């Protein structure tokens, strides 16, 4: 008569121990850590986005900047490499293409078709051989997708993109050269 209740208690105890072990194992499993939110703490003050805005999208732009050898403004007889425009793909942090960046005028276009241009507010040095940091104020977006409501765009984490090292002289006036570059474009919206 006592064997049945003993078996029931043993089964209940075994079940409880198994459940406890399972919960402990689940708790010990490494939880995916969310990617850290972009921080502008280490950026120069001139290119920091004002309070009241939040990061809406982070992209990595990879492509080319085109320069043309032209007469130097207000310097007769002198020439210089002049920025013509960018052509780059915009990828999300996982490497998936989410848009393009091209110009002139400088235009950020989402894969959903929405796009915008912007007005430069500030630049700051980002290191030798690299384009400067940049802060632009977004113009109203065309289309109702990812670019709708963007207030500011920051260009950070720069690699390359400066004018060619090759000579620009009267003999090669009009010549165009493309330079590889990479930059993170951080899109902000009102908080």
């Amino acid at each position: 008569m006592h064997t049945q209740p003993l078996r029931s208690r043993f089964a209940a105890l075994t079940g409880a121990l198994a459940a406890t072990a399972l919960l402990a194992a689940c708790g010990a499993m490494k939880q995916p850590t969310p990617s850290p939110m972009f921080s502008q703490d280490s950026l120069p003050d001139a290119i920091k986005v004002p309070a009241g805005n939040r990061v809406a999208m982070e992209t990595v732009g990879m492509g080319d900047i085109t320069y043309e050898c032209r007469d130097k403004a207000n310097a007769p007889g002198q020439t210089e490499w002049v920025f013509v425009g960018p052509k780059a793909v915009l990828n999300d942090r996982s490497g998936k293409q989410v848009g393009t960046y091209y110009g002139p005028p400088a235009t950020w276009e989402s894969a959903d078709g929405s796009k915008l241009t912007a007005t430069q507010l500030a630049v700051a040095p980002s290191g030798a051989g690299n384009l400067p940091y940049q802060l632009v104020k977004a113009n109203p977006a065309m289309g109702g997708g990812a670019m709708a409501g963007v207030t500011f765009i920051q260009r950070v984490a720069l690699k390359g993109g400066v004018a060619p090292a090759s000579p620009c002289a009267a003999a090669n006036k009009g010549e165009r050269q493309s330079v590889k570059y990479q930059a993170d474009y951080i899109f902000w919206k009102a908080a």
Side-chain angles (χ1 to χ4, degrees):
M1 291 247 165
H2 292 91
T3 55
Q4 191 64 22
L6 189 57
R7 275 191 198 152
S8 279
R9 280 188 261 164
F10 181 72
L13 182 61
T14 304
L17 287 172
T20 302
L22 182 62
L23 286 173
C26 288
M29 290 172 58
K30 185 165 175 73
Q31 298 295 318
T33 53
S35 58
M37 186 60 121
F38 174 78
S39 171
Q40 58 180 351
D41 293 345
S42 64
L43 297 175
D45 287 343
I47 67 145
K48 287 184 179 177
V49 172
N53 293 278
R54 63 172 174 76
V55 173
M57 181 171 54
E58 298 179 37
T59 65
V60 179
M62 294 185 292
D64 299 301
I65 303 288
T66 300
Y67 290 88
E68 184 175 324
C69 182
R70 296 183 186 165
D71 288 324
K72 198 172 201 174
N74 303 319
Q78 295 182 29
T79 54
E80 66 181 341
W81 288 109
V82 176
F83 176 89
V84 174
K87 184 175 182 179
V89 297
L90 298 175
N91 296 327
D92 66 14
R93 294 289 188 204
S94 70
K96 178 184 172 202
Q97 185 173 345
V98 294
T100 54
Y101 172 57
Y102 54 89
T107 303
W108 293 263
E109 185 169 345
S110 172
D112 64 21
S114 62
K115 60 185 174 181
L116 57 81
T117 59
T119 303
Q120 180 173 285
L121 297 177
V123 294
S126 71
N130 300 325
L131 290 172
Y133 292 118
Q134 182 183 46
L135 176 64
V136 298
K137 181 161 182 41
N139 296 320
M142 294 163 265
M147 296 299 173
V150 169
T151 51
F152 295 94
I153 306 167
Q154 283 174 314
R155 182 176 68 194
V156 298
L158 293 127
K159 295 178 189 164
V162 295
S166 60
C168 169
N172 65 328
K173 232 175 14 178
E175 178 185 327
R176 287 187 172 205
Q177 288 192 19
S178 291
V179 178
K180 295 278 180 213
Y181 92 107
Q182 180 175 321
D184 287 4
Y185 291 96
I186 312 299
F187 295 82
W188 296 76
K189 293 185 178 182

